[in-house]
Amino acid sequence: MAATIELVVTTIQQCIDAGASSTDAWTTTAVLWFALHGLVTVPQAITSVGWPPFDHLLTECVTRSVGLRHAATKP
């Protein structure tokens, strides 16, 4: 599991280095990890809510957790 987490940290750091994200790679990895686990478990636990489509939520969880921005909008 540690190798997987380290891979995510490295990938997020590459996004930061490329100017596509502007945050701390380790903290961002933790936030993303927690968000994705919630994405899977919350709809299973709370079935009475009409959640948005999974693919849309997955994209939003990754994009927002990592703070990704399109290269054309970087400062």
Side-chain angles (χ1 to χ4, degrees):
M1 188 57 64
T4 301
I5 292 172
E6 184 58 36
L7 177 62
V8 176
V9 170
T10 300
T11 302
I12 291 172
Q13 186 61 54
Q14 290 171 345
C15 291
I16 293 168
D17 295 344
S21 180
S22 60
T23 188
D24 166 56
W26 173 236
T27 300
T28 301
T29 297
V31 169
L32 177 61
W33 202 268
F34 300 148
L36 293 177
H37 279 82
L39 175 64
V40 172
T41 60
V42 170
Q44 293 175 358
I46 306 171
T47 59
S48 60
V49 173
W51 301 107
F54 178 83
D55 290 348
H56 174 71
L57 289 175
L58 176 61
T59 299
E60 291 297 314
C61 278
V62 172
T63 302
R64 293 178 186 212
S65 295
V66 177
L68 290 176
R69 55 180 178 264
H70 190 276
T73 63
K74 69 180 178 181

